[in-house]
Amino acid sequence: MIAAKRDVYASEYEYNLPDYGQEEQEYLQVIETGGVNKKATLRKDKLVLVVGILCMFSLALLYTFMAAKITMGGYTINALKADIETIENQNHRLTLEIEEKSSLKRIETLARTELGMIAPNGKNVYYVAMDTASPVLTGGQPQQTAQAAPAAKTENGEETQPETNKNAHPVFLALNKLFFE
């Protein structure tokens, strides 16, 4: 191209231009294109294009990664909601079971059938007299009482004396009287 321009200039003005070396031809080429080297411009354009493509690829990869994370988070949330629902159902079922087992009618039925207990009436109610200085009330050591246990009546009308231990705690004596008389 430079050689062609040289020939054009030489023919117009009728003189011969000197033959330039490789470096001078590149310099003249830079001067002719307005100070911009086209090879360098092409390299910069290619570099910008490659960097742009890499950026777009990176953004697409990032978008895909984020979409995958969001989807996995959604699956995890749904699994946890299912677990919560299962646990709530189990809790409700256990609450109903507790209420059923602690109903007063059921407890009364079990007490009468399995434990042989009877409903209280005026004949089988016993009151226990306790000292005001009871170790339970005062927090001290048990005191011996000189009171003798009253005779208890059985279902046949016979009077029996309970076995008493003078060293026993008054609560144990009262329970002994209730269960064994």
Side-chain angles (χ1 to χ4, degrees), residues 144-155:
Q144 292 182 356
T145 59
Q147 296 176 349
K153 292 185 180 180
T154 61
E155 292 178 11

Side-chain angles (χ1 to χ4, degrees), residues 167-178:
N167 295 331
H169 193 275
V171 173
F172 294 125
L173 291 174
L175 289 174
N176 188 20
K177 181 177 179 184
L178 284 175

Side-chain angles (χ1 to χ4, degrees), residues 8-159:
V8 170
Y9 289 126
S11 63
E12 277 183 34
Y13 298 108
E14 305 269 336
Y15 61 90
N16 290 333
L17 291 174
D19 192 22
Y20 298 110
Q22 179 68 26
E23 289 179 8
E24 292 169 340
Q25 284 182 0
E26 287 179 3
Y27 178 73
L28 288 175
Q29 194 175 21
V30 168
I31 292 173
E32 288 175 359
T33 58
V36 178
N37 188 352
K38 286 188 179 185
K39 286 184 180 179
T41 305
L42 286 176
R43 286 184 192 151
K44 284 182 182 178
D45 289 343
K46 285 181 182 178
L47 181 65
V48 167
L49 182 65
V50 169
V51 169
I53 290 173
L54 286 176
C55 286
M56 294 299 280
F57 179 74
S58 298
L59 287 174
L61 191 63
L62 180 66
Y63 177 76
T64 306
F65 175 75
M66 294 303 290
K69 285 296 258 185
I70 290 171
T71 304
M72 291 300 293
Y75 289 143
T76 304
I77 288 172
N78 288 337
L80 291 175
K81 282 182 181 179
D83 288 346
I84 288 171
E85 186 176 333
T86 302
I87 290 171
E88 284 177 350
N89 289 338
Q90 193 176 32
N91 189 19
H92 183 68
R93 189 179 67 243
L94 290 174
T95 302
L96 289 175
E97 189 176 328
I98 287 171
E99 289 175 359
E100 178 186 321
K101 297 219 181 216
S102 64
S103 90
L104 294 177
K105 281 193 164 203
R106 183 178 180 279
I107 292 173
E108 183 182 359
T109 304
L110 288 175
R112 287 179 188 231
T113 58
E114 292 182 13
L115 299 176
M117 293 185 172
I118 56 173
N121 58 23
K123 295 179 184 176
N124 57 5
V125 175
Y126 298 101
Y127 294 95
V128 178
M130 296 186 65
D131 291 343
T132 56
S134 172
V136 175
L137 299 175
T138 61
Q141 295 296 325
Q143 298 174 356
Q144 292 182 356
T145 59
Q147 296 176 349
K153 292 185 180 180
T154 61
E155 292 178 11
N156 299 338
E158 301 173 0
E159 290 189 18

